Amino acid sequence: MTAAEIRRRLMTHADPGSVPILQSFFKTGAGQYGEGDVFVGVRVPAMRGVCRDCRGAGLDAITTLLRSRVHEERLLALLLLVDMFTRGDETVRREVYGFYLSHTAFINNWDLVDSSAAPIVGAWLYERSRAPLRRLAKSALLWERRIAIVATHYFIRRGDLDETFRIADLLLDETHDLIHKAVGWMLREAGNHDGAAERRFLNTRVDRMPRTMLRYAIEKFPPDERKKYLQGSASPGRRKRSTRDKP
């Protein structure tokens, strides 16, 4: 199936009336992290349906979609890529993993990262060296740093928490809220598996952690415990100003 055929199927689900809402939610205004991103108004459930219908699309078609200015086309490309990886043999998975990391410039919004980093990057590295995650965590590209921490969700689901804590350590001094939130989210997920391990991590770092990161990490703690951690957190005045973006 060609990219043009896939695009036509996708556009049958477009709802122009929802575009302003999506543009606001994904911060596409001047100076925001999604500046200039184009939406056509296709919701995620519809995209997943198109993905099922277009299963088996090759990398040529996926590449065209991933390089599109249209957000939904890039997300659909990543959903197709995840499906290809999940269903593929070792050779296919290696190719998809390499393709993914060579196209991170187009994986340039939080939902694009969150839908693909764990099932591709995390899945490939689970039984391999995690050194690529540490390189991504030190990248100058915001989205590669988010890929690094979100990829560890694959490990967390399998009870392997160490890499999440390692990548979180590398990102403690991050200044962007999108990384604060992703790190806090992964710490919370790690705590769902081992609350004591999460607390050990927090106890020695709470005075360095950005407030948003900490809030996400302790979201499920009892109210009194949340208050105690927040009282010990880093003063906002000791950090560079970070962007207040969603999610």
Side-chain angles (χ1 to χ4, degrees), residues 119-187:
I120 294 178
V121 179
W124 180 254
L125 297 178
Y126 180 59
E127 295 181 345
R128 295 175 174 84
S129 168
R130 279 81 183 276
L133 293 182
R134 295 158 210 171
R135 289 195 293 271
L136 289 168
K138 297 175 183 178
S139 170
L141 184 63
L142 166 67
W143 307 113
E144 289 190 344
R145 301 197 301 276
R146 185 158 176 131
I147 286 169
I149 187 65
V150 174
T152 70
H153 203 186
Y154 188 91
F155 309 155
I156 293 170
R157 292 185 185 123
R158 287 150 184 81
D160 181 350
L161 311 182
D162 290 347
E163 196 62 34
T164 297
F165 294 136
R166 290 191 191 100
I167 300 301
D169 254 339
L170 292 175
L171 296 171
L172 277 185
D173 294 322
E174 171 68 47
T175 60
H176 201 294
D177 271 11
L178 286 178
I179 304 300
H180 297 171
K181 293 168 183 178
V183 172
W185 168 30
M186 288 302 108
L187 291 174

Side-chain angles (χ1 to χ4, degrees), residues 42-174:
V42 183
R43 299 291 185 172
V44 172
M47 273 187 275
R48 293 194 181 278
V50 175
C51 180
R52 288 191 296 270
D53 293 342
C54 299
R55 176 171 285 161
L59 279 181
D60 286 347
I62 290 173
T63 300
T64 299
L65 294 170
L66 188 57
R67 294 178 176 178
S68 170
R69 293 178 62 247
V70 176
H71 185 99
E72 291 93 337
E73 291 183 13
R74 300 201 305 282
L75 180 53
L76 178 58
L78 292 165
L79 295 176
L80 288 166
L81 206 60
V82 169
D83 185 75
M84 179 184 291
F85 182 96
T86 303
R87 297 164 63 84
D89 60 16
E90 184 84 354
T91 300
V92 170
R93 291 183 178 198
R94 183 186 302 276
E95 183 178 19
V96 169
Y97 169 77
F99 175 90
Y100 185 91
L101 289 188
S102 68
H103 287 78
T104 53
F106 303 97
I107 308 171
N108 57 353
N109 215 310
W110 61 264
D111 62 322
L112 306 181
V113 172
D114 296 358
S115 65
S116 58
I120 294 178
V121 179
W124 180 254
L125 297 178
Y126 180 59
E127 295 181 345
R128 295 175 174 84
S129 168
R130 279 81 183 276
L133 293 182
R134 295 158 210 171
R135 289 195 293 271
L136 289 168
K138 297 175 183 178
S139 170
L141 184 63
L142 166 67
W143 307 113
E144 289 190 344
R145 301 197 301 276
R146 185 158 176 131
I147 286 169
I149 187 65
V150 174
T152 70
H153 203 186
Y154 188 91
F155 309 155
I156 293 170
R157 292 185 185 123
R158 287 150 184 81
D160 181 350
L161 311 182
D162 290 347
E163 196 62 34
T164 297
F165 294 136
R166 290 191 191 100
I167 300 301
D169 254 339
L170 292 175
L171 296 171
L172 277 185
D173 294 322
E174 171 68 47

